[in-house]
Amino acid sequence: MDILMRNFTNVHDIGNLQQALKEAFEIKKERFKYVELGRNKTLMMIFFNASLRTRLSTQKAATNLGMNVIVLDINQGAWKLETERGVIMDGDKPEHLLEAIPVMGCYCDIIGVRSFARFESREDDYNEIIINQFIRYSGRPVFSMEAATRHPLQSFADLITIEEYKKVERPKVVLTWAPHPRPLPQAVPNSFAEWMNETDYEFVITHPQGYELDPVFVGKAKVEYDQLKAFEGADFIYAKSWAAYTGDKYGQVLSMDRSWTVSDRQMGLTRNAYFMHCLPVRRNMIVTDDVIESPQSLVIPEAANREISATVVLKRMLQSL
Ligand code: AN0
Ligand code: CP
C-alpha cells in the first residue's frame, strides 16, 4: 500500500523510518522503477538561496520518476519579493509573495522550496513563515529543500548513509559544532538531531558554551561540552557549524576557536569513526584536509544519497496526488 505524504518538512512527515529506509534501498537498487509515476507531472523548485547538491540531486530524483522540472532562482531573474503582509510597497520589491505563490502553484503539481533562516527575527525563522506560506497559499504539496529550521532531505540521506556504513547495531553518533567565519543556520544540526532522536543510536551533541540548540531538537540527546570526551568511542562524527540560537545572541558567531576543527587529533579518539558533513564545507575551518580526504570520509557517498532521499520523497508525494 502506498504511504500518503502531502507535505515533507520534518521527520514526522515521513512516518516509520524503517519503512522509509526500505524504500530508499529499493530505489537505490532500481532507481528508475517508478519512472512512469511522474509522467506529465511538473516539479517546481524555488530557490531563495544558493545550492549545488539540493538543486542537482532533486532534479535528478524528479527525472528518475519521469517528471518535468522547472527551477526558479528568486534572486536571479525573478522579481524581488516582499514577504511581510501590510507593508506599503514603495521600496525595491515589485511583487508580493502572496500573489507569487499561488501563481507558481498554477504551473506545477509539486513545489520544493529552499529558504534559509534570515536571522532577523528568531520568532519568524522558527515559525517557518516562508515555507508555511507556500503550504498555505500554493494549493500544491510542498517539500523543504532546507527551510529556516530544518533540512529533512539532507537528514534522510544522512540516515541512509549511516545505515549503509554502520558496523554495530547501535552506533555512537556525535554531532559536533565547528568554527566558520560566517553565521550559518541551525537547520542542518536541528534536523540531524531530530532524525537521530527517532533512531535507537547513541546520540551525542558537542559544542562550546553558548551554542546550545533549541531543546525541541536536542530532545533526548546527550550534550557534552568537552569535544574530546564526546569523540571517545564514536562510530560516526557529523560536523557542522551553526550560529548561536539562544537569547539575544541569536544568529551570531560567538567563537572561531579552531581547536574545534575536526582533525586527526580528535578522530584518533574514536572507534575509527567515519567523518560526515552535508557540504559545502570550508576545509581547515570545519575539518582538516587529511580527515576529509581520508578513507573514513563519507562526504561523497552522503551527497550521492541525496538523490535517493529525494526520489523516495517525490515518489511518495506523487503517489499522494
Ligand atoms: C548552508 C547551511 O549551513 O545551512 C547550507 C548547508 C546545506 N551552508 C552555507 O550557507 C555555507
Ligand atoms: N547539502 C546541501 O544541501 O548542499 P547544497 O546547499 O549545495 O544544496
Side-chain angles (χ1 to χ4, degrees):
M1 206 186 63
D2 298 341
I3 293 168
L4 294 184
M5 195 172 77
R6 178 159 173 97
N7 300 308
F8 177 69
T9 65
N10 63 60
V11 73
H12 306 295
D13 290 330
I14 202 128
N16 184 290
L17 286 189
Q18 292 310 318
Q19 173 61 31
L21 284 165
K22 206 178 116 203
E23 288 170 50
F25 293 124
E26 174 194 53
I27 278 171
K28 195 151 182 173
K29 271 203 222 97
E30 214 183 325
R31 59 193 78 197
F32 299 105
K33 183 168 176 185
Y34 299 94
V35 70
E36 293 302 322
L37 198 59
R39 186 203 286 271
N40 293 337
K41 299 286 185 235
T42 300
L43 167 66
M44 185 176 287
M45 299 201 283
I46 308 291
F47 288 93
F48 287 86
N49 309 95
S51 166
L52 186 152
R53 278 143 292 275
T54 304
R55 172 185 302 257
L56 298 178
S57 62
T58 312
Q59 179 153 2
K60 176 64 166 67
T63 56
N64 290 348
L65 297 162
M67 299 183 83
N68 303 314
V69 181
I70 303 174
V71 184
L72 181 66
D73 290 292
I74 295 290
N75 299 319
Q76 288 165 26
W79 302 109
K80 271 196 179 154
L81 296 179
E82 178 55 62
T83 57
E84 296 280 322
R85 195 171 171 281
V87 278
I88 298 166
M89 288 173 57
D90 60 356
D92 64 337
K93 295 175 181 144
E95 179 152 26
H96 202 288
L97 205 58
L98 290 171
E99 281 76 53
I101 291 175
V103 168
M104 292 172 191
C106 294
Y107 310 136
C108 64
D109 300 281
I110 296 176
I111 302 184
V113 181
R114 165 162 286 202
S115 172
F116 291 175
R118 300 175 185 183
F119 291 144
E120 285 162 12
S121 146
R122 184 168 90 169
E123 202 189 333
D124 284 357
D125 288 343
Y126 275 69
N127 284 329
E128 288 287 6
I129 58 166
I130 302 296
I131 197 163
N132 280 336
Q133 293 193 74
F134 275 88
I135 291 171
R136 194 156 164 208
Y137 299 116
S138 69
R140 300 293 174 200
V142 172
F143 66 96
S144 166
M145 300 197 298
E146 184 172 339
T149 64
R150 294 176 178 86
H151 192 2
L153 284 172
Q154 180 66 50
S155 312
F156 186 12
D158 297 334
L159 175 68
I160 296 167
T161 311
I162 293 173
E163 283 295 305
E164 285 177 325
Y165 284 88
K166 75 180 190 185
K167 297 194 189 100
V168 292
E169 197 47 41
R170 286 187 67 239
K172 177 176 176 183
V173 178
V174 179
L175 165 63
T176 180
W177 176 90
H180 189 277
R182 292 223 272 270
L184 296 183
Q186 293 107 25
V188 170
N190 283 347
S191 203
F192 186 70
E194 183 178 65
W195 286 65
M196 289 300 106
N197 277 321
E198 292 293 315
T199 70
D200 61 1
Y201 306 158
E202 181 185 349
F203 179 49
V204 178
I205 303 176
T206 183
H207 54 71
Q209 297 275 353
Y211 278 101
E212 290 76 14
L213 293 165
D214 181 348
V216 167
F217 294 101
V218 175
K220 61 183 185 185
K222 178 167 190 260
V223 177
E224 170 59 68
Y225 290 97
D226 181 341
Q227 191 193 31
L228 298 181
K229 221 164 139 194
F231 273 50
E232 278 170 18
D235 298 295
F236 292 88
I237 298 300
Y238 192 97
K240 183 72 183 82
S241 190
W242 64 86
Y245 166 76
T246 48
D248 59 0
K249 297 281 192 292
Y250 180 67
Q252 292 181 21
V253 172
L254 308 179
S255 166
M256 288 270 279
D257 182 358
R258 287 187 48 235
S259 73
W260 281 75
T261 303
V262 178
S263 69
D264 287 330
R265 182 174 69 91
Q266 295 102 322
M267 292 304 280
L269 300 168
T270 68
R271 204 151 50 167
N272 198 23
Y274 288 109
F275 174 81
M276 298 178 73
H277 188 281
C278 64
L279 306 181
V281 74
R282 288 184 187 240
R283 284 178 174 223
N284 304 309
M285 286 298 302
I286 306 283
V287 57
T288 62
D289 292 315
D290 287 345
V291 170
I292 200 168
E293 290 170 4
S294 77
Q296 295 309 101
S297 172
L298 297 183
V299 294
I300 307 303
E302 203 180 337
N305 279 332
R306 290 292 307 275
E307 176 187 342
I308 308 304
S309 64
T311 309
V312 172
V313 165
L314 283 172
K315 175 193 78 130
R316 284 199 187 178
M317 292 178 83
L318 286 167
Q319 287 168 336
S320 308
L321 284 178

